[in-house]
Amino acid sequence: MKLFTWISLTALLGATGAWKLKAGNQEWSGTTLPNPACQSVLIPRGAQISWKGSHGATTVQFFNTKGSCKQVYRTVAGQGDINASNTLYGFMVKP
């Protein structure tokens, strides 16, 4: 069911960037890149993170320095599941 919903969403959106980020009980999604680009979040160490991105939003970058989105801590492209080995304070969706 989840795969069908994801495929349907991306098919309906065509060339726009559909993306979905889930960490524990928190969830973010969109059909365009977030504005501002760097989203401030609090994802605790050990949280299970799931990422799915398509077309114009294929990559997510995570930052582990509070208040700063200058040094990338981890990058996930396309889709994938990871564990937060550090507390994360921000993310940025990229084409």
Side-chain angles (χ1 to χ4, degrees), residues 57-89:
T58 57
T59 304
V60 64
Q61 295 179 326
F62 294 100
F63 304 92
N64 67 343
T65 303
K66 194 172 186 174
S68 175
C69 290
K70 294 183 187 217
Q71 185 175 343
V72 176
Y73 171 71
R74 197 168 213 180
T75 301
V76 180
Q79 66 180 17
D81 296 327
I82 61 170
N83 287 322
S85 53
N86 265 332
T87 299
L88 302 173
Y89 296 102

Side-chain angles (χ1 to χ4, degrees), residues 6-86:
W6 179 251
I7 291 171
S8 298
L9 176 64
T10 55
L12 287 172
L13 294 173
T16 60
W19 59 275
K20 183 176 182 179
L21 175 64
K22 187 173 183 179
N25 62 355
Q26 303 177 82
E27 191 172 301
W28 304 268
S29 62
T31 56
T32 61
L33 299 179
N35 187 17
C38 185
Q39 298 294 301
S40 180
V41 296
L42 178 59
I43 300 173
R45 181 177 185 215
Q48 178 71 24
I49 300 170
S50 177
W51 163 256
K52 292 180 184 177
S54 69
H55 301 293
T58 57
T59 304
V60 64
Q61 295 179 326
F62 294 100
F63 304 92
N64 67 343
T65 303
K66 194 172 186 174
S68 175
C69 290
K70 294 183 187 217
Q71 185 175 343
V72 176
Y73 171 71
R74 197 168 213 180
T75 301
V76 180
Q79 66 180 17
D81 296 327
I82 61 170
N83 287 322
S85 53
N86 265 332

